Amino acid sequence: MAGIRAAQKEKTRRALIQAAMNQLTAEHGFASLSLREVAREAGIAPTSFYRHFRNMEELGLTLVDEGGLTLRQLLRQSRQQIAKGGSIIRSSVLTFMEFVNNNNAIFRLLLQEKSGNSKEFRLAIAREVEHFTAELVDYLIEEQQFARELAEMQADAIVRIVFSAGADALDADAKERRRLTEQTIVQVRLVARGAEATRAAAKTTKSGE
Amino acid sequence: MAGIRAAQKEKTRRALIQAAMNQLTAEHGFASLSLREVAREAGIAPTSFYRHFRNMEELGLTLVDEGGLTLRQLLRQSRQQIAKGGSIIRSSVLTFMEFVNNNNAIFRLLLQEKSGNSKEFRLAIAREVEHFTAELVDYLIEEQQFARELAEMQADAIVRIVFSAGADALDADAKERRRLTEQTIVQVRLVARGAEATRAAAKTTKSGE
DNA sequence: TCGTTCAGTGAACACGTGTACGCTCAATTT
DNA sequence: AAATTGAGCGTACACGTGTTCACTGAACGA
């Protein structure tokens, strides 16, 4: 009942996934990944690839899924750091940047395929980003008592800024990355302050009627 | 002195650029563009390509340059139009979204290669984006009397938001694109208001010392 | 008018690609 | 013990790729 056979299959499946990851560098993206090279690095014959994936796209979607999984781990981490106190904005941005730093290849894949050539890829990644935004919206409504519409505007803007900064961080050295992180924190606070001012203005208007 | 020869060369050069544009679709990005196909569509032999560009990368960089130039000219125009009244934020965002809509292929190219696999591309596009930001910074300092640092934070955040929204607009239908445009205008105003509040707070602090 | 320049050509080359096919042989089932 | 399954292999094919090279002939400068 050990399933020697199934275990071995899973093992080489992981080898294929790992091989694909390894070949994803700044210079060599998923689009230019070849079935043969991936198979070679995984230590199997090119034709054996088909025992595991119908084609390269299917492998790619698997990678995106795994990337999304890791991204949700980040979200959980971030939420825990908020719970134990400190600046919500600072700790969230720091956690995000740390993720980008530690999962270089995956974040790069997500970024590239976000505006890549496969609609299926684009939709899959858009879904991931929406999760991120939705959780931020919930936080703003429940913890900060923002009106839904204003919370959505704010959250969407913040996510755009943070992801965009994450993209820039990929090409940056350590020093530049620190600068970028601090800048992002300031920018997110700018948005938060703008939303706060907007809320205050709305209240004044309403009470002045 | 007409330069029949030079004129003809320029003509087929334009044909090559146009051919490359035509082949840039949502499903078929620049990376998977082939020299031979581009040459074929331009109506010349594959080998003649080299009379105009050293390789495909050079062609791509030309496209990036042209796209960036066009966009900057449009935005400058739109900024000048505020002299005759109207919201500068609204008209700038509208202009930008119109560009995205009318120059689908180029904007897609900019987006993809922004986080693509060629360092030279990434740098070229980063340079274009810096141009936008720099012009916005100048405007904020000269026309709105912001301090340099605050102007830079603000401008950078705005550019990130707008470009990110532009990216989403590529996959959106007309209705969704309108919603996205209005949302972006609100978000940019959020940032502007946050910067305004920050400036006001700083002045209060200073005069209170 | 005569030599030079040079955009465009066509054949050829070496290479990497995806994938179809039939085979092996150990794990598994009957 | 015998039959079946299926992961992995090796060969082979057709195809598109970038790039080389020697060439043609019209536009050009002297």
Side-chain angles (χ1 to χ4, degrees):
Chain A
M1 211 53 176
I4 296 180
R5 203 166 183 147
Q8 177 56 33
K9 176 164 186 179
E10 180 60 18
K11 196 175 158 192
T12 79
R13 188 188 137 96
R14 297 308 308 177
L16 281 170
I17 290 175
Q18 192 56 51
M21 292 266 212
N22 291 348
Q23 300 192 9
L24 284 179
T25 66
E27 294 75 28
H28 198 74
F30 181 79
S32 67
L33 225 59
S34 108
L35 183 152
R36 286 175 109 104
E37 278 187 15
V38 170
R40 195 176 308 137
E41 175 154 343
I44 63 170
T47 54
S48 301
F49 179 92
Y50 297 102
R51 301 287 184 196
H52 303 273
F53 302 98
R54 199 141 19 85
N55 46 44
M56 283 298 293
E57 173 147 351
E58 198 173 290
L59 205 190
L61 287 172
T62 303
L63 290 184
V64 170
D65 278 356
E66 302 231 337
L69 199 71
T70 312
L71 190 52
R72 287 193 209 163
Q73 286 170 358
L74 154 80
L75 292 179
R76 237 170 281 139
Q77 257 182 33
S78 184
R79 246 176 282 129
Q80 282 167 0
Q81 286 201 12
I82 289 169
K84 73 175 182 183
S87 158
I88 295 130
I89 289 176
R90 167 167 284 270
S91 72
S92 294
V93 172
L94 284 179
T95 308
F96 182 85
M97 284 300 190
E98 202 176 316
F99 165 81
V100 171
N101 204 18
N102 295 341
N103 303 273
N104 215 291
I106 288 189
F107 189 70
R108 193 163 250 130
L109 172 68
L110 287 174
L111 259 191
Q112 289 185 339
E113 298 307 322
K114 180 180 160 76
S115 45
N117 307 118
S118 155
K119 185 141 201 167
E120 203 164 346
F121 272 48
R122 272 177 278 147
L123 289 178
I125 291 164
R127 236 176 290 127
E128 296 292 339
V129 175
E130 270 165 31
H131 281 147
F132 198 96
T133 308
E135 293 194 7
L136 187 48
V137 168
D138 285 351
Y139 168 81
L140 289 172
I141 291 177
E142 284 169 25
E143 306 290 324
Q144 311 252 24
Q145 280 81 43
F146 273 98
R148 162 140 248 126
E149 203 189 357
L150 187 51
E152 280 173 353
M153 289 290 165
Q154 189 180 349
D156 189 88
I158 289 173
V159 168
R160 288 189 192 284
I161 289 173
V162 172
F163 266 75
S164 167
D168 285 2
L170 281 176
D171 257 0
D173 59 20
K175 187 184 164 191
E176 169 66 4
R177 225 179 292 129
R178 270 196 302 278
R179 193 197 64 76
L180 206 51
T181 304
E182 292 304 322
Q183 173 182 287
T184 304
I185 291 170
V186 172
Q187 289 173 334
V188 172
R189 289 199 170 127
L190 226 54
V191 173
R193 193 165 289 183
E196 191 56 53
T198 301
R199 170 161 68 179
K203 263 187 186 156
T204 303
T205 302
K206 207 172 263 176
S207 67
E209 277 172 14
Chain B
M1 211 55 175
I4 298 180
R5 202 163 181 148
Q8 178 56 33
K9 177 164 184 178
E10 180 61 18
K11 196 175 157 192
T12 78
R13 188 187 136 95
R14 296 309 310 175
L16 281 170
I17 290 175
Q18 193 54 52
M21 293 262 217
N22 291 348
Q23 301 194 7
L24 284 179
T25 66
E27 294 76 29
H28 197 76
F30 182 79
S32 67
L33 224 61
S34 107
L35 182 153
R36 287 175 110 103
E37 278 187 14
V38 170
R40 195 177 307 137
E41 176 154 343
I44 63 171
T47 54
S48 302
F49 179 93
Y50 296 102
R51 301 288 182 197
H52 303 272
F53 302 98
R54 199 140 22 84
N55 47 44
M56 284 298 292
E57 174 149 350
E58 198 172 290
L59 204 190
L61 289 172
T62 303
L63 291 184
V64 169
D65 279 357
E66 302 223 340
L69 199 69
T70 309
L71 183 47
R72 250 177 295 139
Q73 283 169 351
L74 285 177
L75 288 179
R76 230 172 281 143
Q77 266 177 31
S78 129
R79 241 175 284 132
Q80 283 166 357
Q81 280 186 3
I82 61 117
K84 69 170 187 181
S87 155
I88 193 202
I89 289 178
R90 167 167 283 270
S91 73
S92 292
V93 172
L94 284 178
T95 303
F96 182 87
M97 284 301 192
E98 203 176 315
F99 169 83
V100 172
N101 205 19
N102 295 341
N103 303 270
N104 216 291
I106 286 194
F107 189 70
R108 193 163 249 131
L109 172 68
L110 287 174
L111 262 190
Q112 288 185 338
E113 298 307 322
K114 180 179 160 75
S115 45
N117 308 118
S118 155
K119 184 141 202 167
E120 204 163 345
F121 267 58
R122 273 177 277 146
L123 288 178
I125 291 164
R127 234 177 290 125
E128 294 292 339
V129 174
E130 270 165 31
H131 280 147
F132 295 125
T133 309
E135 290 195 8
L136 187 46
V137 167
D138 284 352
Y139 169 82
L140 290 172
I141 290 177
E142 285 169 26
E143 307 290 322
Q144 312 251 25
Q145 280 82 41
F146 273 98
R148 162 138 250 128
E149 203 189 356
L150 187 50
E152 281 172 354
M153 288 290 165
Q154 190 180 347
D156 189 88
I158 290 173
V159 169
R160 289 189 192 283
I161 289 173
V162 172
F163 266 76
S164 167
D168 285 2
L170 282 176
D171 258 0
D173 59 20
K175 187 183 165 191
E176 170 66 4
R177 225 180 290 127
R178 270 196 302 278
R179 193 197 63 78
L180 206 50
T181 304
E182 293 304 324
Q183 173 182 285
T184 304
I185 291 171
V186 172
Q187 288 173 334
V188 172
R189 288 199 170 125
L190 227 53
V191 173
R193 192 165 290 183
E196 192 56 55
T198 301
R199 169 161 69 178
K203 264 186 185 157
T204 303
T205 301
K206 208 172 261 178
S207 68
E209 279 172 12

